[in-house]
Amino acid sequence: MGDMTNSDFYSKNQRNESSHGGEFGCTMEELRSLMELRGTEAVVKIKETYGDTEAICRRLKTSPVEGLPGTAPDLEKRKQIFGQNFIPPKKPKTFLQLVWEALQDVTLIILEIAAIISLGLSFYHPPGESNEGCATAQGGAEDEGEAEAGWIEGAAILLSVICVVLVTAFNDWSKEKQFRGLQSRIEQEQKFTVVRASQVVQIPVAEIVVGDIAQIKYGDLLPADGLFIQGNDLKIDESSLTGESDQVRKSVDKDPMLLSGTHVMEGSGRMVVTAVGVNSQTGIIFTLLGAGGEEEEKKDKKAKQQDGAAAMEMQPLKSAEGGDADDKKKANMHKKEKSVLQGKLTKLAVQIGKAGLVMSAITVIILVLYFTVDTFVVNKKPWLPECTPVYVQYFVKFFIIGVTVLVVAVPEGLPLAVTISLAYSVKKMMKDNNLVRHLDACETMGNATAICSDKTGTLTTNRMTVVQAYVGDVHYKEIPDPSSINVKTMELLVNAIAINSAYTTKILPPEKEGALPRQVGNKTECGLLGFVLDLKQDYEPVRSQMPEEKLYKVYTFNSVRKSMSTVIKLPDESFRMYSKGASEIVLKKCCKILNGSGEPRVFRPRDRDEMVKKVIEPMACDGLRTICVAYRDFPSSPEPDWDNENDILNDLTCICVVGIEDPVRPEVPEAIRKCQRAGITVRMVTGDNINTARAIAIKCGIIHPGEDFLCLEGKEFNRRIRNEKGEIEQERIDKIWPKLRVLARSSPTDKHTLVKGIIDSTHTEQRQVVAVTGDGTNDGPALKKADVGFAMGIAGTDVAKEASDIILTDDNFSSIVKAVMWGRNVYDSISKFLQFQLTVNVVAVIVAFTGACITQDSPLKAVQMLWVNLIMDTFASLALATEPPTETLLLRKPYGRNKPLISRTMMKNILGHAVYQLTLIFTLLFVGEKMFQIDSGRNAPLHSPPSEHYTIIFNTFVMMQLFNEINARKIHGERNVFDGIFRNPIFCTIVLGTFAIQIVIVQFGGKPFSCSPLQLDQWMWCIFIGLGELVWGQVIATIPTSRLKFLKEAGRLTQKEEIPEEELNEDVEEIDHAERELRRGQILWFRGLNRIQTQIEVVNTFKSGASFQGALRRQSSVTSQSQDVANLSSPSRVSLSNALSSPTSLPPAAAGRECESYCLGHHRRQRRVGRRAGAGAPRTWGAASYD
């Protein structure tokens, strides 16, 4: 199924549908066209065609209350007729495609060409070859058999190129496979609540079928299209499909259309699923893209590459549910996304590459000049026509030597090491309950300097229990005896809690004997329901008496109200409203309170102040969350104006105040201590009361009594950071954040402001790297703004997961510490690899270069160089990048953004070891033959047999690298390089494996590897010299780095590159300076033109269902013109993710402007684009705003 293209899948569904339409009262086609209507049109159409939504349910053979029967044959039939809730993914690249990509490497291409020329020449025997007149540069008669074997070198080079290519391709392939594994894991995690056979069950999103009754609630991302049956106060953010950022209120009689890929921002309800997979709205957009890609493929290969890649960035439905377009995009597009580390590495690799190019060019020039001068000037040989092939063969040999110098110099292992290290870490982090959605988040986490954590569920267990209560003028320090509470008060209390909480919230019996009862749904509400059970009452009868459908009006909980209220109609036609919420907020609205005999008495402001002092503050200081439960009665006529919230939520009568305990997770204090030791500041940002927050912060160890720290409430925080005009000032934030440890009663905006303030601060010399945890829909903006966003896997809403980089599958703070450890480990692994690789590079290049200049021949032959390159690049990156992290990583301070990759200590190690290796190799090169009493290998003629002399040099060189690989395991100047070596089996395997292959190469490699077999004593010497590396490593470690001031550090990002441009103008909604400067008439003209063209194209496309590519190509050509005008560096291709992605909630201004600002060429960091991409093109259906 996975291999089917979208268009096949689509047409197959079409065929199925036409044949089976009769079994249900409506066909897939009818439902699909119904879902394309909006608002009143849809209501009219439903009335005309079906009658009402219940009639549609009957036709789909489902019940709005009981749901589907859920039998296997029925579900199967529905899947066949209406399709599955699944969009076939893009085919992964085949192994051959990956091989082809690996072959595109420039240095490899040069090598291949040189090898082919060398092969061709070795088979061509010109007549002049035997001619004495031709120069055989250094004399020495050739053996006939040797001339025959001239082809071997060329063949060996080709063979080693093939090896390198296969290894690279295999790495890419396994990486891709891991991504897909991760993807499917994230998709399986994605569950949705449906009603089947009257039971509320959670099923994987892919299992949802047409006719299912789905329960939707605040924070959900809708997995399929459906019709709203019943619910309260439901508001949806449809910006992902329409580009309109206003929330749309849904109701059965005005706008019942619920579309896949949109977010529930408020309220709850039930819907009947009418279209799934490729037939849902998101699926249709996709299929257009997919199908377009298929048709176009034959016509236009080049455009296909661009647009195919773009189409991949479209948010797939499946991932719209898994919140995971980014990962899919990632799987195909990871090359585009550069993290801080990759930025530093790319810069370093380019610098090294340039140096290598220069060296190799000089090598070739010197060799050619020396040869021509020696042959034609010194020996005065004429250039005879029949000698030409011989000379050409020499030049080719020189060229090959030059290219091999280049190959060794270019560290192509660097990107590989990063990928291996990151992929390995991500895989292992899964075991540590970290599900990484963006690879670079893993490495950024290692540099984190601040963590802003939620309290509930992250630092605490999120298992709420009522432990204190204030009822009928008495403050009970434990659960009161039911008999001590007045009957009237008890009845009101039970009703208020049972009715005024989501009916999906329940307390179920424990799964195992002796375990705690299971809490399902909102945990605070579970705590209150538990209180009802503790009072020996039951909430179920109350709920069955007043089912959800009968609730008159519900004001759902949101972060502004901080309370929830439900209105019911009493038997005498009057109304009663139950309310509950944060105690200080609800008490302000109370004017009466129930006394001991259950009668309301007057409750004045001064009574309230006394209650706050005597009841609420003591509860909060014990770390309890205080909730007030209240009610109000309304007359039947005149009916109150329910939309006037301020009047309705007033004049309440307080029933009781309860203190809910949420115990701190036992492992949290230790985890926070580790963070503080590692130089990471932990701050708590919570919506709770300041006293509760402070008490919990002390229990967790975030604050220690007697320290200099700040605990602020949201209001006070805002007062301090804003100037007289109410604008936020960075200088004011800079005065607060270094000492701020607890921010209580904070709104989502406060959280975002704090995170942004810390990130943008230039108060400290290192830019702060901030991680944020969040679980609610309202945490989305802060999670996106943070360098690393952690979402809760269990309690988190889909919106939060989509905005995050890492999902904590166990909602536990101590998993964040693991993420820090892995992140730092990635950084260190890369540094280890660099230290090793650069030593080899320096030595190999200098040896090849000086050897060529002095002896006209590189002591290390092309094939040998390639083998060294293979062990250096590929194997070493595997061995060093897979070191498991240790606790010691948490003992140092974070590196920060602009710390160079290569520290002074590493530079000292690199140069120190290079000196040792060069000294020994040159000693062997010039006096080796005397030491070992063997023939000198210098000045050998063109096809002479391999000499023992040069074999010893090659072997010693490799031995030194092997032992230096052990040295490279430590980069901070530690003495014990063997520490924990057996914990890394990969490292041991690779070192031993390399050693074994080296023996084979030397003893049996013969002509292809230019090796002649060595005696045992010669081997011993080689190994002995190699072992000297370890001793020398200790010598280097004794030299204090502080003395070596002259050593430069390398691979740092300069201050300017440090905050990439895309981050500076990342918040479009604030004000885009680039945009302001570039508002020239010309650009506005291009922008208008571009919009009109895109609109026309999109409208036509949707009319005809024809290929989408045309629109895209037009889009990108117009864009490139406007880029020329803007003269800004920008990607040469506009990614479609912008035109049609389904982002999470967008800030109002961003949706409209995102497309334009893209045309202006600020390419936002790819993940940000993927996540906030404004719905550029689709915005054009509903609104064409030319601001």
Side-chain angles (χ1 to χ4, degrees), residues 535-645:
L535 292 172
K536 310 283 182 284
Q537 306 291 317
D538 191 3
Y539 61 88
E540 282 296 349
V542 182
R543 283 185 173 180
S544 44
Q545 216 175 340
M546 176 62 68
E548 206 169 355
E549 297 79 53
K550 283 200 191 160
L551 301 180
Y552 196 76
K553 168 97 182 126
V554 178
Y555 299 95
T556 47
F557 180 89
N558 64 25
S559 54
V560 182
R561 288 189 191 125
K562 293 245 189 245
S563 68
M564 168 178 177
S565 311
T566 305
V567 181
I568 58 170
K569 210 169 192 174
L570 297 173
D572 62 357
E573 295 294 305
S574 65
F575 300 98
R576 175 171 288 170
M577 177 180 77
Y578 293 114
S579 229
K580 68 163 190 288
S583 56
E584 54 262 58
I585 290 169
V586 177
L587 278 177
K588 275 188 188 139
K589 296 174 179 166
C590 290
C591 63
K592 296 194 184 104
I593 185 164
L594 295 182
N595 61 17
S597 55
E599 296 303 323
R601 68 171 167 84
V602 179
F603 185 62
R604 292 182 298 273
R606 70 156 183 271
D607 299 334
R608 186 174 65 233
D609 296 340
E610 191 179 347
M611 185 158 170
V612 167
K613 259 202 203 73
K614 298 237 171 102
V615 178
I616 291 175
E617 283 187 1
M619 281 187 185
C621 292
D622 293 341
L624 305 183
R625 176 182 243 183
T626 54
I627 300 282
C628 176
V629 182
Y631 78 102
R632 179 182 174 185
D633 286 330
F634 296 96
S636 54
S637 67
E639 187 173 330
D641 171 13
W642 299 114
D643 289 337
N644 184 351
E645 242 179 85

Side-chain angles (χ1 to χ4, degrees), residues 67 81 787:
I81 296 177
D787 295 287

Side-chain angles (χ1 to χ4, degrees), residues 951 955 998-1006 1011-1015 1019:
T951 309
N955 199 17
Q998 179 65 16
I999 296 179
V1000 173
I1001 288 178
V1002 170
Q1003 297 306 97
F1004 312 104
C1011 288
S1012 85
L1014 297 180
Q1015 256 68 92
W1019 262 104

